[in-house]
Amino acid sequence: MTLSLIVAELVTNSLKHAFPDGRDGTITITVERERDVYTLVVADDGCGATTTPAPRKKNGLGQRILQNLAFQLGGQIVLEHGDGTVATMVFRPQTEAAVRVKA
């Protein structure tokens, strides 16, 4: 549940901020696992923070919520802005059930 909230928030942020004026773009979501460490990456090829019409607050409410959710999974989110935005979270969940997806 926590991981889905993080992904939903990051994708929503991309949709709201990365593609102004109907600009086309791509959002990619990847999750990799190496032993008991997971890496989640949500990236867009949007305008990036430098040209966003309404500059984002570095420690706004959304960022604090994301970091608190990441903390629940034993991780931290790092945002990189440039040609688009890349959000990377490396985490080590307490149990395998924390990241299990039911098919």
Side-chain angles (χ1 to χ4, degrees), residues 62-73:
Q63 295 301 317
R64 288 189 305 235
I65 291 170
L66 278 172
Q67 292 299 349
N68 285 334
L69 290 170
F71 181 76
Q72 290 177 23
L73 292 177

Side-chain angles (χ1 to χ4, degrees), residues 11-97:
V11 169
T12 299
N13 285 345
S14 288
L15 292 171
K16 286 172 61 176
H17 302 290
F19 309 111
D21 304 321
R23 175 182 170 171
D24 287 336
T26 303
I27 300 170
T28 58
I29 303 166
T30 59
V31 178
E32 295 180 359
R33 176 183 178 190
E34 188 171 320
R35 297 184 186 188
D36 62 342
V37 177
Y38 293 81
T39 302
L40 166 71
V41 178
V42 178
D44 67 59
D45 60 358
C47 62
T50 57
T51 59
T52 301
R56 296 177 212 156
K57 295 179 183 175
K58 184 175 182 180
N59 293 316
L61 179 61
Q63 295 301 317
R64 288 189 305 235
I65 291 170
L66 278 172
Q67 292 299 349
N68 285 334
L69 290 170
F71 181 76
Q72 290 177 23
L73 292 177
Q76 175 179 333
I77 296 175
V78 175
L79 296 174
E80 298 174 52
H81 303 287
D83 293 333
T85 299
V86 178
T88 304
M89 181 176 79
V90 177
F91 62 104
R92 187 178 303 217
Q94 297 297 318
T95 65
E96 192 69 23

